[in-house]
Amino acid sequence: MAIGKLYIGRKVRELREANRATQGQFAERIGISTSYLNQIENNQRPVSAAVLLALAEKFQIDIAELSSGEGDRLLSALSEALNDPLFEAYSSSLQELKLVVQNAPGLAHALVKCHQAYRRNSEQLASIDDTIGRDAAVVETTPYEEVRDFFHFVDNYIHEIDLLAEHLAGELGLGEGDSHTALANHLEQRHGVRVVRGAAGDEAIRRFDPRARILTLNPYAPAPTRDFQLALQIAQLHGREEIDRVAGSAGFRTEEAYEICRIGLQNYFAGALILPYQAFLKAARELRHDIELIAARFGASLEQVCHRLSTLQRPGQKGIPIFFARIDRAGNITKRHSAAKLQFARFGAACPLWNVHQAFETPGRIIRQLAETPDGVRYLCLATQITKGGGGYRAAHPRYALALGCEISYADAFVYADDMDLGNRAAFDPIGISCRICERTKCASRAVPPLKRKLIVDHDMRAALPYRLSEN
């Protein structure tokens, strides 16, 4: 695969500083001059293929770790922000945005946050009429959104917590097969917590009494859910110190955001405990990412497996860059993460041409799609419906669609791609990220016009849409 010009000065500098080397020492180790290294670190010159190979060989890192990662996510967020009509007088090139992301990521993050605040203010003002003077207030990022962005920009991988959970999994012999007994025994023997079955009619999935040291689980919850709740309780007890440290170092503005992040980190620990990194990565490769077989091997749910696949971003041991999302029947994305180039829109609904919406029509099946985004990147997209809950006929059973996929260059690692015509470009469906930022001019499924295109209305002609889009 050809490697384009890469300006990754910040990443190279971070790698050098992590190894506590001066520029002279680092340059000598990878076989270049100190002045060349200085120019690389200041993004005055791109890294060559030879330098990339030297970095990979000398420091045991994946080249993909240097050439992708947070930059793709930040570039997507910045591009979406600058597509707002607020910036209609400014037209940026992709190369210009890449330079901003690479050279001044802090500035890019700040601009994205400013745009978020602007959007929220605009939405609030639009919903208020005569009470505007009394009720309107400056709208800031909600605690939930702040935590969502924290996980998004750390690549949904928390190294210290992942290692801590994996170490404990090794002690308990977790990795494959039944985990319930080992988790319950650990809680009782190490933490003095007794696990009991809940009473009929109690809708809580789990309930912990810290004084009596009793953990009550809903007996009607699926087995993977009960195991996850055991692991979550262990996270609160065994991983508390590290979880609190990570949440505290994130610099959240409110106590509410801090507490929400702690919940997210506890869930992260639980997932990493029942699906330990190296054993899970090995199984994913051996089973060619067959999510049903992986779920059966670890006694996990499909959602737990899909979510874990999207977190395999450990330096030097990365899995396939995967995107993952959970969507409800109204089209709301309730979980999202992408280690691939495809990034989910921060505002608006998902593309109606994406196969995830069809999953509700074919329950119990994994459906496949070859898709291409407007930037020319092609993907293998998988989707399936899941049903939550339990507890009988009268209990709530919310349904969701899970979306999972990768760039087509990684499709051979997936059993689902075996009989698909990957080399036929005509087999790929054109999809977008969100109608509001999609530039496709001839999409009959468009819900709203793109933000930066003028509309052409012809009263004498009507096509699928009541307007045409200008070419620029």
Side-chain angles (χ1 to χ4, degrees):
M1 180 184 300
I3 299 174
K5 289 186 177 180
L6 292 177
Y7 292 88
I8 53 172
R10 184 170 59 91
K11 290 185 177 182
V12 173
R13 186 185 306 111
E14 288 173 353
L15 179 62
R16 175 176 63 80
E17 291 174 348
N19 284 272
R20 297 188 176 132
T22 65
Q23 282 192 337
Q25 293 168 334
F26 196 81
E28 182 178 359
R29 189 166 180 183
I30 59 176
I32 62 174
S33 68
T34 304
S35 61
Y36 181 21
L37 176 61
N38 183 271
Q39 290 174 318
I40 289 176
E41 290 192 0
N42 287 285
N43 282 323
Q44 295 171 353
R45 290 181 65 181
V47 293
S48 64
V51 171
L52 278 176
L53 292 173
L55 290 170
E57 178 183 352
K58 301 294 183 180
F59 298 98
Q60 290 78 52
I61 59 174
D62 186 347
I63 289 178
E65 292 177 31
L66 292 173
S67 59
S68 63
E70 179 186 357
D72 288 335
R73 291 181 293 281
L74 184 54
L75 180 63
S76 174
L78 182 61
S79 177
E80 183 179 0
L82 292 176
N83 266 287
D84 195 291
L86 175 68
F87 303 104
E88 63 181 348
Y90 170 68
S91 180
S92 58
S93 67
L94 181 60
Q95 185 60 30
E96 186 178 10
L97 294 185
K98 285 182 177 179
L99 288 173
V100 172
V101 168
Q102 292 162 352
N103 291 327
L107 176 61
H109 276 291
L111 183 56
V112 169
K113 288 182 178 179
C114 286
H115 178 252
Q116 288 177 317
Y118 164 78
R119 286 273 310 191
R120 281 184 291 272
N121 272 311
S122 298
E123 289 167 0
Q124 185 187 57
L125 291 173
S127 66
I128 314 173
D129 25 68
D130 60 326
T131 59
I132 189 169
R134 182 177 71 253
D135 295 334
V138 175
V139 183
E140 297 181 337
T141 303
T142 67
Y144 177 82
E145 291 171 332
E146 195 176 0
V147 173
R148 180 198 64 189
D149 288 348
F150 164 76
F151 280 99
H152 180 70
F153 286 113
V154 298
D155 212 9
N156 204 28
Y157 175 75
I158 315 295
H159 188 65
E160 298 83 359
I161 292 177
D162 212 298
L163 287 177
L164 181 65
E166 184 179 35
H167 180 73
L168 180 59
E171 287 184 13
L172 302 182
L174 303 180
E176 294 184 13
D178 178 33
S179 299
H180 187 89
T181 302
L183 293 169
N185 288 344
H186 175 77
L187 276 171
E188 185 163 7
Q189 295 168 9
R190 184 75 64 87
H191 300 287
V193 173
R194 187 160 56 94
V195 181
V196 301
R197 293 166 59 91
D202 187 351
E203 296 182 355
I205 297 175
R206 67 179 275 276
R207 194 185 301 278
F208 179 57
D209 184 338
R211 290 189 176 182
R213 309 296 284 179
I214 294 176
L215 175 64
T216 303
L217 297 181
N218 189 320
Y220 302 113
T225 300
R226 295 200 301 271
D227 290 351
F228 189 87
Q229 296 306 319
L230 290 173
L232 180 65
Q233 189 61 57
I234 293 173
Q236 292 183 351
L237 299 170
H238 181 85
R240 178 169 183 170
E241 184 177 336
E242 187 61 34
I243 287 171
D244 289 352
R245 186 195 67 77
V246 173
S249 65
F252 295 115
R253 294 174 302 166
T254 65
E255 183 69 16
E256 189 178 3
Y258 169 76
E259 293 298 341
I260 292 173
C261 184
R262 287 184 69 225
I263 293 175
L265 294 173
Q266 289 164 8
N267 280 289
Y268 185 96
F269 183 103
L273 179 60
I274 61 178
L275 302 170
Y277 194 100
Q278 294 186 65
F280 185 80
L281 177 62
K282 180 181 178 183
R285 289 171 173 169
E286 287 179 354
L287 300 174
R288 300 189 61 220
H289 296 83
D290 187 318
I291 58 176
E292 293 171 302
L293 292 183
I294 298 172
R297 178 176 289 192
F298 287 91
S301 69
L302 290 183
E303 182 176 349
Q304 289 168 356
V305 168
C306 291
H307 197 158
R308 186 57 167 152
L309 284 172
S310 74
T311 70
L312 299 181
Q313 299 299 302
R314 180 176 294 181
Q317 293 180 296
K318 286 194 174 187
I320 299 295
I322 283 172
F323 65 78
F324 163 70
R326 188 182 72 184
I327 294 92
D328 67 17
R329 288 184 61 83
N332 301 305
I333 301 179
T334 59
K335 281 186 180 180
R336 70 183 77 195
H337 177 66
S338 178
K341 288 192 187 318
L342 185 142
Q343 300 296 320
F344 302 106
R346 303 167 74 84
F347 302 99
C351 176
L353 300 178
W354 193 18
N355 72 332
V356 67
H357 304 292
Q358 301 169 20
F360 294 106
E361 304 168 11
T362 55
R365 290 181 53 199
I366 295 175
I367 59 175
R368 307 173 299 169
Q369 179 186 36
L370 297 177
E372 181 176 347
T373 48
D375 58 3
V377 181
R378 293 178 291 162
Y379 298 91
L380 169 66
C381 302
L382 311 172
T384 189
Q385 181 201 281
I386 61 168
T387 302
K388 293 279 199 176
Y393 175 73
R394 297 190 180 280
H397 295 88
R399 290 185 290 168
Y400 297 94
L402 302 180
L404 186 76
C406 67
E407 292 171 34
I408 209 66
S409 58
Y410 297 101
D412 288 345
F414 285 72
V415 65
Y416 307 101
D418 282 353
D419 60 347
M420 302 188 82
D421 192 1
L422 305 182
N424 179 11
R425 197 144 201 144
F428 288 78
D429 297 325
I431 67 169
I433 303 302
S434 171
C435 287
R436 64 188 295 275
I437 60 172
C438 180
E439 293 296 310
R440 297 192 191 277
T441 59
K442 297 180 180 180
C443 178
S445 298
R446 179 177 290 282
V448 294
L451 292 172
K452 282 200 167 182
R453 288 292 183 95
K454 291 183 179 180
L455 304 186
I456 301 173
V457 178
D458 186 343
H459 294 280
D460 298 322
M461 191 275 289
R462 167 65 193 257
L465 297 175
Y467 53 79
R468 288 182 293 116
L469 300 175
S470 66
E471 292 300 324
N472 49 49

